[in-house]
């Protein structure tokens, strides 16, 4: 992973043409992105400037505004004013951070058709940041931190590698994940868990395979069921089962049970799904 910082020195002036402040003045606002902790000198583009203001409050005088150690509190709109009080220049100061290498995570809830990758950036750069991807990975619903890969080769010997490069005004950094598709299989949890009490002590639990799993015929799933009841910390797990239905016996009257189910590839590829949302079964007191 490499991390390069481009010019955190005396600030990067990016003039955004056509963007005007709320002020009545026709001076365009210049966006200035600076690293927290850096030293910045902001010249005023204009006539004989006398006064600098921040958020309309007087700050200092002189042709160049000097900030020794920029902090997040320095965020604001800086204006410099000529003798007659007119605005000569307006700068919107955005303190933030250069990107750190994105932490990339990929998983395959729809094996063998597709995989998803998401990434996080810590700390948040607080600045507009763009992400470049090396692999054909299509953004999901316009998200800039989640993408989808399809038609990946199965059972490859060489891992697939997805690089994510974060770029903002202060620098660039690359993070990546390499994976064999079969190793990152992780179904979504089963859905529509229903419980039918068949007697005071027995209940039938049924569920539907995760809708995102495309083909349970050629790529069957197996299921693990767990249940627990009030005042009991330890849970009981049952399974794995290949059919989406089991009968639980030995239930006790007066208890409220919580039941969940999780799915896993029948051939143990990858990992088990998260648990489904718990469903309650109250066994009446006899
Ligand atoms: C992906 O990132 C790694 C590690 O930073 C780098 O060595 C490699 O050249 C990158 N690959 C591409 C295609 O950019
Ligand atoms: C800049 O400010 C931070 C936070 O107040 C402080 O921890 C740091 O030592 C300062 N750095 C310099 C070079 O003064
Ligand atoms: C300027 O105003 C913004 C938005 O209200 C505020 O977040 C910021 O702290 C202010 N900056 C200064 C230096 O007062
Ligand atoms: C789950 O149950 C709801 C309501 O009964 C139904 O509309 C939906 O199609 C079911 N989902 C699946 C995947 O069977």
């Amino acid at each position: 992973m490499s991390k390069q910082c481009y010019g955190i020195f005396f600030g990067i002036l990016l003039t955004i043409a056509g963007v005007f402040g709320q002020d009545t003045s026709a001076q365009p606002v210049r966006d200035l992105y600076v690293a927290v902790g850096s030293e910045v000198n902001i010249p005023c583009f204009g006539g004989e400037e006398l006064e600098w203001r921040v958020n309309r409050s007087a700050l200092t005088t002189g042709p160049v505004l000097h900030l020794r150690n920029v902090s997040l509190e320095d965020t604001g709109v800086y204006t410099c004013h000529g003798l007659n009080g007119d605005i000569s220049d307006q700068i919107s100061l955005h303190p933030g951070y250069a990107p750190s290498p994105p932490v990339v995570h990929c998983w395959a809830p729809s094996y063998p058709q597709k995989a998803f990758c998401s990434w996080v950036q810590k700390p948040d750069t607080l600045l507009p940041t763009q992400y470049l991807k090396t692999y054909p990975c299509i953004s999901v619903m316009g998200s800039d931190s989640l993408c989808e890969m399809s038609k990946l080769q199965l059972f490859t010997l060489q891992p697939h590698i997805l690089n994510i490069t974060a770029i903002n005004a202060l620098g660039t950094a690359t993070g990546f994940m390499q994976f064999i598709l079969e190793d990152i299989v992780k179904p979504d949890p089963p859905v529509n868990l229903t419980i039918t009490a068949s007697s005071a002590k027995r209940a039938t639990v049924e569920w539907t395979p995760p809708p995102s799993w495309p083909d349970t015929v050629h790529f069957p799933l197996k299921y693990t069921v767990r249940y627990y009841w009030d005042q009991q910390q330890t849970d009981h797990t049952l399974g794995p089962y290949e059919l989406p239905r089991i009968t639980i016996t030995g239930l006790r009257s007066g208890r409220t049970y919580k039941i969940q189910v999780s799915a896993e590839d029948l051939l143990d590829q990858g990992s088990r799904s998260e648990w489904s949302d718990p469903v309650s079964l109250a066994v009446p007191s006899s």
Side-chain angles (χ1 to χ4, degrees):
M1 284 177 217
S2 73
K3 181 170 178 176
Q4 309 157 345
C5 296
Y6 296 144
I8 310 180
F9 323 110
F10 274 43
I12 298 143
L13 290 168
L14 297 186
T15 305
I16 308 250
V19 177
F20 295 87
Q22 305 100 319
D23 268 60
T24 48
S25 153
Q27 287 295 327
V29 176
R30 292 186 287 136
D31 282 301
L32 180 57
Y33 301 100
V34 293
V36 168
S38 65
E39 183 178 2
V40 201
N41 287 306
I42 306 172
C44 181
F45 295 160
E48 298 165 44
E49 304 73 30
L50 281 182
E51 192 191 9
W52 284 90
R53 299 180 195 165
V54 57
N55 290 351
R56 297 162 193 257
S57 306
L59 185 62
T60 183
T61 55
V64 176
L65 175 65
H66 181 62
L67 299 175
R68 187 162 285 116
N69 183 2
V70 173
S71 75
L72 296 177
E73 285 82 61
D74 293 324
T75 304
V77 175
Y78 292 76
T79 47
C80 60
H81 300 259
L83 279 172
N84 56 5
D86 286 352
I87 294 180
S88 304
D89 201 3
Q90 314 196 48
I91 294 103
S92 181
L93 188 75
H94 307 275
Y97 302 93
S100 54
V103 178
V104 188
H105 170 67
C106 301
W107 75 105
S110 306
Y111 182 82
Q113 293 182 355
K114 46 186 168 178
F116 292 97
C117 293
S118 69
W119 51 93
V120 291
Q121 174 97 63
K122 282 181 188 161
D124 189 342
T125 67
L126 305 174
L127 300 179
T129 300
Q130 239 197 315
Y131 296 95
L132 300 184
K133 311 176 271 253
T134 47
Y135 218 94
C137 197
I138 311 300
S139 287
V140 175
M141 291 185 297
S143 168
D144 68 352
S145 60
L146 174 65
C147 66
E148 177 186 314
M149 282 176 274
S150 50
K151 302 198 178 96
L152 286 166
Q153 268 197 306
L154 311 185
F155 301 107
T156 51
L157 296 177
Q158 291 295 320
H160 303 282
I161 302 179
L162 176 71
N163 277 12
I164 301 291
T165 300
I167 301 172
N168 70 19
L170 301 181
T172 141
T174 300
F176 67 94
M177 165 136 176
Q178 50 180 338
F179 60 87
I180 301 285
L181 186 57
E182 285 67 30
D183 293 344
I184 60 161
V185 170
K186 184 180 181 184
D188 286 324
V191 298
N192 282 6
L193 183 89
T194 59
I195 308 171
T196 317
S198 43
S199 76
K201 292 183 179 170
R202 299 161 64 89
T204 301
V205 181
E206 294 177 83
W207 54 90
T208 306
S212 52
W213 192 259
D215 182 353
T216 52
V217 175
H218 298 100
F219 301 94
L221 295 170
K222 61 184 175 184
Y223 305 96
T224 305
V225 174
R226 85 164 170 185
Y227 66 99
Y228 49 95
W229 59 89
D230 2 76
Q231 274 116 46
Q232 223 231 6
Q233 298 305 315
T234 55
D235 53 2
H236 296 245
T237 57
L238 304 170
Y241 304 101
E242 292 182 32
L243 290 178
R245 178 187 322 109
I246 65 155
T247 298
I248 301 180
T249 59
L251 301 174
R252 300 282 185 80
S253 59
R255 283 181 182 164
T256 297
Y257 292 90
K258 291 260 198 313
I259 304 173
Q260 294 172 289
V261 59
S262 117
E264 186 180 9
D265 175 71
L266 182 64
L267 303 178
D268 291 323
Q269 298 187 113
S271 55
R272 226 163 64 174
S273 76
E274 304 296 323
W275 291 104
S276 63
D277 290 336
V279 173
S280 299
L281 171 67
V283 183
S285 305
S286 44

